[in-house]
Amino acid sequence: MNRPSRLSIVIAPGPWDPGQWRDVFLARADGRPVSVWPDDGDEAGAAPYVICAWKTDPRVFEVLPSPRAVFSLGAGVDHLQVPGLLRDVPVARIVDPDLTMRMVEYVTFAVLHLHRQISRYAQDQSLRVWAPRFQTAASRVRVGIMGLGVLGEACGRTLAQLGFDVAGWVRTPREATSVQVFAGQEALGAFLARTEILVNLLPNTPQTRGLIGADVFARLADGARFVNVGRGETVVEDELVQALASGRLAGAVLDVFGTEPLPADSPLWALPGVLITPHVAADSDPDVIADQIIRNIERLERGEALAGRVDMTRGY
Ligand code: NDP
Ligand code: OXD
Protein backbone atom coordinates (compact mmCIF):
# COMPACT_ATOMS: atom_id res chain seq x y z
CA MET A 1 0.00 0.00 0.00
CA ASN A 2 1.44 3.43 -0.96
CA ARG A 3 1.93 5.77 1.94
CA PRO A 4 -0.53 8.69 1.51
CA SER A 5 0.86 12.14 2.28
CA ARG A 6 -2.51 13.53 3.39
CA LEU A 7 -5.59 11.56 4.44
CA SER A 8 -9.15 12.75 4.27
CA ILE A 9 -11.40 12.13 7.26
CA VAL A 10 -14.85 10.57 7.13
CA ILE A 11 -16.84 10.69 10.36
CA ALA A 12 -19.65 8.17 10.82
CA PRO A 13 -20.98 9.08 14.28
CA GLY A 14 -24.10 6.86 14.24
CA PRO A 15 -26.58 8.17 16.83
CA TRP A 16 -24.31 11.03 17.99
CA ASP A 17 -24.70 14.67 16.93
CA PRO A 18 -22.92 14.89 13.53
CA GLY A 19 -22.50 18.68 13.72
CA GLN A 20 -20.48 18.54 16.92
CA TRP A 21 -18.14 15.86 15.54
CA ARG A 22 -17.69 17.71 12.25
CA ASP A 23 -16.73 20.88 14.18
CA VAL A 24 -14.16 19.23 16.47
CA PHE A 25 -12.45 17.45 13.56
CA LEU A 26 -12.54 20.50 11.27
CA ALA A 27 -10.89 22.58 14.00
CA ARG A 28 -7.92 20.18 14.02
CA ALA A 29 -7.83 18.82 10.46
CA ASP A 30 -5.16 21.29 9.30
CA GLY A 31 -6.61 21.43 5.79
CA ARG A 32 -7.46 17.73 5.47
CA PRO A 33 -10.96 17.25 3.94
CA VAL A 34 -13.57 16.32 6.58
CA SER A 35 -16.96 14.84 5.76
CA VAL A 36 -19.78 13.20 7.66
CA TRP A 37 -21.46 9.98 6.52
CA PRO A 38 -24.26 9.59 5.56
CA ASP A 39 -25.08 13.34 5.70
CA ASP A 40 -22.58 14.30 2.97
CA GLY A 41 -23.52 11.36 0.74
CA ASP A 42 -21.67 8.27 -0.38
CA GLU A 43 -19.02 10.33 -2.20
CA ALA A 44 -17.71 11.39 1.22
CA GLY A 45 -14.34 9.64 1.01
CA ALA A 46 -12.27 11.13 -1.75
CA ALA A 47 -9.49 8.50 -1.47
CA PRO A 48 -7.28 8.03 0.48
CA TYR A 49 -9.41 8.28 3.62
CA VAL A 50 -9.89 7.04 7.17
CA ILE A 51 -13.24 6.41 8.89
CA CYS A 52 -13.95 7.56 12.46
CA ALA A 53 -17.00 5.63 13.65
CA TRP A 54 -19.39 5.05 16.53
CA LYS A 55 -22.25 2.53 16.27
CA THR A 56 -22.71 3.56 12.66
CA ASP A 57 -24.81 1.91 10.01
CA PRO A 58 -22.39 -0.81 8.77
CA ARG A 59 -23.31 0.13 5.20
CA VAL A 60 -20.57 2.76 5.45
CA PHE A 61 -18.00 -0.03 5.08
CA GLU A 62 -19.70 -1.19 1.89
CA VAL A 63 -19.93 2.22 0.24
CA LEU A 64 -16.46 3.22 1.51
CA PRO A 65 -14.71 -0.15 1.49
CA SER A 66 -11.03 0.87 1.46
CA PRO A 67 -10.23 3.05 4.47
CA ARG A 68 -6.54 3.28 5.39
CA ALA A 69 -7.65 2.83 9.02
CA VAL A 70 -10.80 2.84 11.12
CA PHE A 71 -10.90 4.72 14.43
CA SER A 72 -13.46 3.95 17.12
CA LEU A 73 -14.79 7.15 18.69
CA GLY A 74 -14.78 5.28 22.02
CA ALA A 75 -12.85 2.63 23.94
CA GLY A 76 -14.95 -0.31 22.76
CA VAL A 77 -14.67 -1.79 19.27
CA ASP A 78 -17.52 -4.31 19.38
CA HIS A 79 -19.55 -1.95 17.15
CA LEU A 80 -16.89 -2.47 14.47
CA GLN A 81 -17.39 -6.26 14.27
CA VAL A 82 -19.49 -5.84 11.15
CA PRO A 83 -19.73 -7.40 7.72
CA GLY A 84 -18.08 -5.18 5.14
CA LEU A 85 -15.13 -4.07 7.31
CA LEU A 86 -12.19 -5.95 5.87
CA ARG A 87 -9.94 -7.89 8.25
CA ASP A 88 -6.72 -6.30 7.01
CA VAL A 89 -7.87 -2.71 7.72
CA PRO A 90 -6.12 -1.46 10.89
CA VAL A 91 -8.52 -0.52 13.70
CA ALA A 92 -7.62 1.67 16.69
CA ARG A 93 -9.58 2.61 19.79
CA ILE A 94 -9.46 5.40 22.34
CA VAL A 95 -7.05 4.85 25.21
CA ASP A 96 -6.93 8.12 27.06
CA PRO A 97 -6.40 9.31 30.65
CA ASP A 98 -9.51 11.55 30.40
CA LEU A 99 -11.76 8.59 29.56
CA THR A 100 -9.99 6.34 32.08
CA MET A 101 -10.49 8.85 34.91
CA ARG A 102 -14.17 9.16 34.07
CA MET A 103 -14.51 5.38 34.43
CA VAL A 104 -12.54 5.42 37.70
CA GLU A 105 -14.92 8.12 39.01
CA TYR A 106 -18.00 6.13 38.05
CA VAL A 107 -16.84 2.74 39.34
CA THR A 108 -15.65 4.27 42.62
CA PHE A 109 -19.03 5.98 42.98
CA ALA A 110 -20.91 2.75 42.16
CA VAL A 111 -18.94 0.60 44.60
CA LEU A 112 -19.30 3.21 47.36
CA HIS A 113 -23.02 3.60 46.60
CA LEU A 114 -23.51 -0.14 47.14
CA HIS A 115 -21.06 -0.43 50.03
CA ARG A 116 -22.56 2.54 51.97
CA GLN A 117 -26.15 1.23 51.47
CA ILE A 118 -27.19 4.51 49.85
CA SER A 119 -30.28 3.21 48.06
CA ARG A 120 -31.70 2.10 51.45
CA TYR A 121 -31.02 5.49 53.01
CA ALA A 122 -32.60 7.19 49.98
CA GLN A 123 -35.70 5.07 50.48
CA ASP A 124 -35.72 5.89 54.23
CA GLN A 125 -35.44 9.59 53.40
CA SER A 126 -38.44 9.41 51.07
CA LEU A 127 -40.43 8.04 54.06
CA ARG A 128 -38.83 10.48 56.60
CA VAL A 129 -37.38 7.49 58.46
CA TRP A 130 -34.19 7.80 60.60
CA ALA A 131 -32.71 4.28 60.65
CA PRO A 132 -28.94 3.88 61.04
CA ARG A 133 -27.54 0.52 59.91
CA PHE A 134 -24.28 -1.27 60.71
CA GLN A 135 -21.54 -0.25 58.26
CA THR A 136 -18.77 -2.72 57.34
CA ALA A 137 -15.29 -1.25 56.74
CA ALA A 138 -14.05 -1.21 53.13
CA SER A 139 -11.11 -3.41 54.14
CA ARG A 140 -13.58 -6.21 54.90
CA VAL A 141 -15.27 -6.01 51.50
CA ARG A 142 -13.95 -8.08 48.58
CA VAL A 143 -14.39 -6.41 45.19
CA GLY A 144 -13.86 -8.48 42.02
CA ILE A 145 -13.30 -6.81 38.66
CA MET A 146 -13.92 -8.88 35.52
CA GLY A 147 -11.54 -7.39 32.95
CA LEU A 148 -8.34 -5.80 34.25
CA GLY A 149 -7.47 -3.88 31.12
CA VAL A 150 -6.75 -0.17 30.83
CA LEU A 151 -9.97 0.71 32.67
CA GLY A 152 -10.23 -2.21 35.10
CA GLU A 153 -6.63 -1.83 36.25
CA ALA A 154 -7.11 1.90 36.99
CA CYS A 155 -10.40 1.28 38.84
CA GLY A 156 -8.79 -1.55 40.84
CA ARG A 157 -5.91 0.67 41.90
CA THR A 158 -8.22 3.40 43.20
CA LEU A 159 -10.52 0.97 45.02
CA ALA A 160 -7.49 -0.68 46.64
CA GLN A 161 -6.28 2.76 47.77
CA LEU A 162 -9.68 3.27 49.43
CA GLY A 163 -9.01 0.08 51.37
CA PHE A 164 -11.18 -2.45 49.48
CA ASP A 165 -9.80 -5.96 49.08
CA VAL A 166 -9.65 -6.05 45.27
CA ALA A 167 -9.01 -8.87 42.79
CA GLY A 168 -9.38 -9.04 39.03
CA TRP A 169 -10.20 -11.70 36.46
CA VAL A 170 -8.45 -11.73 33.06
CA ARG A 171 -7.88 -14.04 30.10
CA THR A 172 -4.07 -14.22 30.06
CA PRO A 173 -2.04 -15.15 33.17
CA ARG A 174 0.10 -12.28 34.48
CA GLU A 175 1.86 -11.03 37.60
CA ALA A 176 -0.35 -9.42 40.24
CA THR A 177 0.00 -5.63 40.12
CA SER A 178 -1.94 -3.46 42.58
CA VAL A 179 -4.57 -6.20 42.91
CA GLN A 180 -4.68 -10.00 43.04
CA VAL A 181 -5.12 -11.58 39.58
CA PHE A 182 -7.15 -14.66 38.59
CA ALA A 183 -6.70 -15.81 34.97
CA GLY A 184 -8.79 -18.00 32.68
CA GLN A 185 -11.86 -20.20 33.02
CA GLU A 186 -10.13 -22.48 35.51
CA ALA A 187 -9.71 -19.59 37.99
CA LEU A 188 -13.20 -18.13 37.50
CA GLY A 189 -14.82 -20.19 40.29
CA ALA A 190 -12.28 -19.11 42.93
CA PHE A 191 -12.53 -15.50 41.76
CA LEU A 192 -16.35 -15.49 42.02
CA ALA A 193 -16.44 -17.30 45.37
CA ARG A 194 -14.41 -14.51 47.00
CA THR A 195 -16.33 -11.65 45.36
CA GLU A 196 -18.88 -9.55 47.27
CA ILE A 197 -19.09 -6.64 44.83
CA LEU A 198 -18.66 -7.76 41.20
CA VAL A 199 -17.65 -5.09 38.66
CA ASN A 200 -17.95 -6.06 34.99
CA LEU A 201 -15.45 -4.28 32.74
CA LEU A 202 -15.21 -6.94 30.05
CA PRO A 203 -15.41 -6.10 26.35
CA ASN A 204 -18.15 -7.65 24.23
CA THR A 205 -16.47 -10.50 22.29
CA PRO A 206 -17.64 -13.94 21.16
CA GLN A 207 -16.03 -15.38 24.34
CA THR A 208 -17.64 -12.93 26.79
CA ARG A 209 -21.12 -12.64 25.25
CA GLY A 210 -23.70 -14.03 27.70
CA LEU A 211 -20.93 -15.04 30.12
CA ILE A 212 -22.52 -13.41 33.17
CA GLY A 213 -25.76 -15.13 34.08
CA ALA A 214 -27.40 -17.29 36.74
CA ASP A 215 -24.38 -19.57 37.01
CA VAL A 216 -22.03 -16.65 37.74
CA PHE A 217 -24.45 -15.01 40.20
CA ALA A 218 -24.92 -18.35 42.04
CA ARG A 219 -21.18 -18.67 42.60
CA LEU A 220 -20.70 -15.19 44.15
CA ALA A 221 -20.35 -14.71 47.91
CA ASP A 222 -23.54 -14.26 49.95
CA GLY A 223 -25.14 -10.82 49.72
CA ALA A 224 -23.21 -10.02 46.54
CA ARG A 225 -23.88 -6.87 44.52
CA PHE A 226 -23.19 -6.09 40.88
CA VAL A 227 -21.86 -3.16 38.84
CA ASN A 228 -22.06 -3.37 35.03
CA VAL A 229 -20.05 -0.84 33.06
CA GLY A 230 -18.53 -3.19 30.44
CA ARG A 231 -21.19 -4.16 27.92
CA GLY A 232 -24.80 -5.29 28.27
CA GLU A 233 -24.23 -8.14 25.83
CA THR A 234 -21.95 -9.92 28.33
CA VAL A 235 -24.90 -10.31 30.74
CA VAL A 236 -27.98 -12.54 30.40
CA GLU A 237 -30.48 -9.84 31.32
CA ASP A 238 -33.41 -12.15 32.29
CA GLU A 239 -31.12 -14.00 34.66
CA LEU A 240 -29.89 -10.70 36.13
CA VAL A 241 -33.51 -9.66 36.76
CA GLN A 242 -34.18 -13.03 38.38
CA ALA A 243 -31.06 -12.81 40.59
CA LEU A 244 -32.10 -9.33 41.79
CA ALA A 245 -35.76 -10.20 42.28
CA SER A 246 -34.91 -13.34 44.27
CA GLY A 247 -32.39 -11.56 46.50
CA ARG A 248 -29.43 -13.61 45.19
CA LEU A 249 -28.02 -10.21 44.27
CA ALA A 250 -28.58 -7.56 46.95
CA GLY A 251 -28.26 -4.57 44.63
CA ALA A 252 -26.83 -3.29 41.37
CA VAL A 253 -25.57 -0.25 39.53
CA LEU A 254 -26.11 -0.70 35.79
CA ASP A 255 -24.81 1.58 33.04
CA VAL A 256 -24.92 -0.71 29.98
CA PHE A 257 -27.62 -2.96 28.56
CA GLY A 258 -28.19 -5.46 25.76
CA THR A 259 -30.68 -3.05 24.20
CA GLU A 260 -29.97 0.68 24.52
CA PRO A 261 -31.90 2.80 25.30
CA LEU A 262 -33.18 0.34 27.94
CA PRO A 263 -36.80 -0.35 26.88
CA ALA A 264 -39.43 1.35 29.06
CA ASP A 265 -40.98 -2.02 29.92
CA SER A 266 -37.75 -3.57 31.23
CA PRO A 267 -38.29 -4.91 34.78
CA LEU A 268 -34.85 -3.54 35.69
CA TRP A 269 -36.23 0.02 35.95
CA ALA A 270 -38.43 -0.80 38.92
CA LEU A 271 -36.37 -3.27 40.95
CA PRO A 272 -35.53 -2.00 44.45
CA GLY A 273 -31.83 -1.48 45.09
CA VAL A 274 -31.05 -1.00 41.39
CA LEU A 275 -29.55 2.24 40.10
CA ILE A 276 -29.67 2.77 36.34
CA THR A 277 -27.67 5.27 34.27
CA PRO A 278 -27.89 5.66 30.46
CA HIS A 279 -24.42 4.47 29.29
CA VAL A 280 -22.60 7.50 30.65
CA ALA A 281 -19.93 5.89 32.87
CA ALA A 282 -17.09 7.18 30.72
CA ASP A 283 -18.38 9.44 27.99
CA SER A 284 -16.07 10.34 25.18
CA ASP A 285 -15.17 14.04 25.23
CA PRO A 286 -15.21 14.97 21.52
CA ASP A 287 -12.26 17.41 21.86
CA VAL A 288 -10.07 14.80 23.56
CA ILE A 289 -11.11 12.05 21.14
CA ALA A 290 -10.52 14.20 18.04
CA ASP A 291 -7.07 15.25 19.33
CA GLN A 292 -6.11 11.63 19.82
CA ILE A 293 -7.39 10.50 16.42
CA ILE A 294 -5.66 13.36 14.60
CA ARG A 295 -2.36 12.33 16.25
CA ASN A 296 -3.00 8.80 15.01
CA ILE A 297 -3.77 10.04 11.49
CA GLU A 298 -0.44 11.90 11.52
CA ARG A 299 1.27 8.65 12.56
CA LEU A 300 -0.39 6.85 9.66
CA GLU A 301 0.72 9.58 7.24
CA ARG A 302 4.30 9.20 8.52
CA GLY A 303 4.10 5.43 8.12
CA GLU A 304 4.28 4.79 11.88
CA ALA A 305 2.36 2.25 13.97
CA LEU A 306 -1.05 3.33 15.31
CA ALA A 307 -1.55 3.97 19.03
CA GLY A 308 -4.38 1.91 20.56
CA ARG A 309 -4.40 -0.60 17.70
CA VAL A 310 -6.82 -3.46 18.31
CA ASP A 311 -6.51 -7.11 17.34
CA MET A 312 -9.92 -7.52 15.70
CA THR A 313 -9.59 -11.32 15.56
CA ARG A 314 -9.30 -11.31 19.38
CA GLY A 315 -12.13 -8.77 19.49
CA TYR A 316 -10.66 -6.20 21.93
P1 NDP B 1 -9.01 -3.54 27.51
O1 NDP B 1 -9.01 -4.15 26.15
O2 NDP B 1 -7.86 -2.70 27.93
O3 NDP B 1 -9.19 -4.68 28.62
C1 NDP B 1 -10.07 -5.75 28.48
C2 NDP B 1 -9.87 -6.71 29.67
O4 NDP B 1 -10.83 -7.77 29.56
C3 NDP B 1 -8.47 -7.36 29.68
O5 NDP B 1 -7.99 -7.44 31.01
C4 NDP B 1 -8.76 -8.76 29.14
O6 NDP B 1 -7.90 -9.78 29.63
C5 NDP B 1 -10.15 -9.02 29.68
N1 NDP B 1 -10.82 -10.04 28.88
C6 NDP B 1 -11.18 -9.98 27.57
N2 NDP B 1 -11.74 -11.14 27.17
C7 NDP B 1 -11.70 -11.95 28.26
C8 NDP B 1 -12.12 -13.28 28.49
N3 NDP B 1 -12.66 -14.03 27.51
N4 NDP B 1 -11.93 -13.81 29.71
C9 NDP B 1 -11.35 -13.08 30.71
N5 NDP B 1 -10.94 -11.80 30.56
C10 NDP B 1 -11.11 -11.25 29.35
O7 NDP B 1 -10.37 -2.72 27.62
P2 NDP B 1 -10.69 -1.41 28.50
O8 NDP B 1 -10.32 -1.68 29.91
O9 NDP B 1 -10.16 -0.21 27.85
O10 NDP B 1 -12.30 -1.37 28.32
C11 NDP B 1 -13.11 -2.44 28.72
C12 NDP B 1 -14.51 -2.26 28.19
O11 NDP B 1 -15.19 -1.23 28.90
C13 NDP B 1 -14.65 -1.81 26.73
O12 NDP B 1 -14.43 -2.87 25.82
C14 NDP B 1 -16.07 -1.30 26.69
O13 NDP B 1 -16.93 -2.38 26.41
C15 NDP B 1 -16.32 -0.83 28.13
N6 NDP B 1 -16.47 0.63 28.21
C16 NDP B 1 -17.63 1.13 28.73
C17 NDP B 1 -17.82 2.48 28.86
C18 NDP B 1 -19.05 3.04 29.48
O14 NDP B 1 -19.25 4.27 29.41
N7 NDP B 1 -19.88 2.24 30.11
C19 NDP B 1 -16.79 3.43 28.40
C20 NDP B 1 -15.59 2.80 27.91
C21 NDP B 1 -15.45 1.44 27.81
P3 NDP B 1 -6.31 -9.79 29.27
O15 NDP B 1 -5.73 -8.71 30.16
O16 NDP B 1 -5.89 -11.14 29.66
O17 NDP B 1 -6.20 -9.49 27.80
C1 OXD C 1 -16.85 3.23 24.96
C2 OXD C 1 -18.15 3.46 25.54
O1 OXD C 1 -16.58 2.08 24.58
O2 OXD C 1 -18.53 4.64 25.69
O3 OXD C 1 -16.06 4.18 24.88
O4 OXD C 1 -18.88 2.53 25.89
Side-chain angles (χ1 to χ4, degrees):
M1 197 184 278
N2 290 337
R3 175 143 46 97
S5 56
R6 223 51 186 154
L7 289 160
S8 61
I9 302 170
V10 180
I11 313 160
W16 286 346
D17 172 14
Q20 183 186 29
W21 286 97
R22 189 196 299 273
D23 291 347
V24 293
F25 274 98
L26 268 176
R28 294 161 175 80
D30 192 23
R32 295 175 185 86
V34 174
S35 53
V36 172
W37 189 90
D39 309 45
D40 296 338
D42 291 353
E43 305 308 311
Y49 56 90
V50 296
I51 300 179
C52 310
W54 183 254
K55 296 189 180 173
T56 180
D57 179 342
R59 227 170 33 86
V60 70
F61 302 113
E62 286 159 26
V63 296
L64 299 169
S66 315
R68 297 300 173 102
V70 173
F71 298 105
S72 172
L73 294 172
V77 291
D78 46 339
H79 61 101
L80 294 173
Q81 293 285 6
V82 290
L85 175 54
L86 299 176
R87 285 277 159 218
D88 57 356
V89 173
V91 173
R93 71 192 190 101
I94 298 299
V95 177
D96 186 88
D98 173 89
L99 192 148
T100 301
M101 272 320 292
R102 289 163 189 257
M103 185 57 87
V104 171
E105 262 179 34
Y106 185 98
V107 169
T108 305
F109 153 76
V111 169
L112 288 174
H113 171 86
L114 295 167
H115 168 60
R116 298 304 304 234
Q117 312 175 67
I118 298 302
S119 62
R120 286 189 167 180
Y121 288 123
Q123 196 183 10
D124 289 351
Q125 182 179 347
S126 72
L127 301 170
R128 298 176 181 252
V129 169
W130 182 273
R133 294 179 176 83
F134 176 72
Q135 180 59 53
T136 316
S139 57
R140 302 191 69 120
V141 177
R142 295 186 303 268
V143 177
I145 304 178
M146 295 179 96
L148 268 191
V150 173
L151 302 180
E153 184 80 49
C155 294
R157 219 173 12 250
T158 298
L159 292 170
Q161 276 162 4
L162 285 175
F164 288 100
D165 181 355
V166 187
W169 183 67
V170 295
R171 206 174 61 114
T172 335
R174 63 160 100 149
E175 294 284 306
T177 47
S178 49
V179 305
Q180 192 186 353
V181 178
F182 294 79
Q185 281 297 333
E186 56 288 2
L188 182 58
F191 166 81
L192 294 173
R194 73 169 290 288
T195 296
E196 295 170 306
I197 299 181
L198 180 67
V199 177
N200 175 30
L201 258 166
L202 288 171
N204 170 21
T205 71
Q207 288 71 40
T208 63
R209 212 158 295 142
L211 179 72
I212 303 175
D215 180 53
V216 161
F217 299 133
R219 292 200 274 169
L220 292 168
D222 287 345
R225 287 142 290 166
F226 182 49
V227 177
N228 192 13
V229 276
R231 280 289 183 266
E233 289 83 349
T234 59
V235 174
V236 185
E237 214 154 273
D238 290 351
E239 295 176 7
L240 171 61
V241 169
Q242 178 56 31
L244 285 160
S246 68
R248 172 74 283 258
L249 285 177
V253 177
L254 307 172
D255 184 58
V256 288
F257 304 89
T259 303
E260 295 180 1
L262 182 64
D265 62 357
S266 168
L268 286 171
W269 287 109
L271 283 172
V274 176
L275 180 67
I276 287 177
T277 53
H279 198 146
V280 291
D283 268 346
S284 305
D285 177 335
D287 286 303
V288 172
I289 304 305
D291 275 345
Q292 186 172 125
I293 292 178
I294 292 287
R295 284 199 297 276
N296 243 346
I297 290 172
E298 288 164 356
R299 280 188 197 99
L300 204 58
E301 289 170 344
R302 291 194 298 265
E304 296 170 11
L306 291 180
R309 179 144 183 200
V310 176
D311 175 353
M312 287 301 275
T313 53
R314 196 178 68 158
Y316 69 100

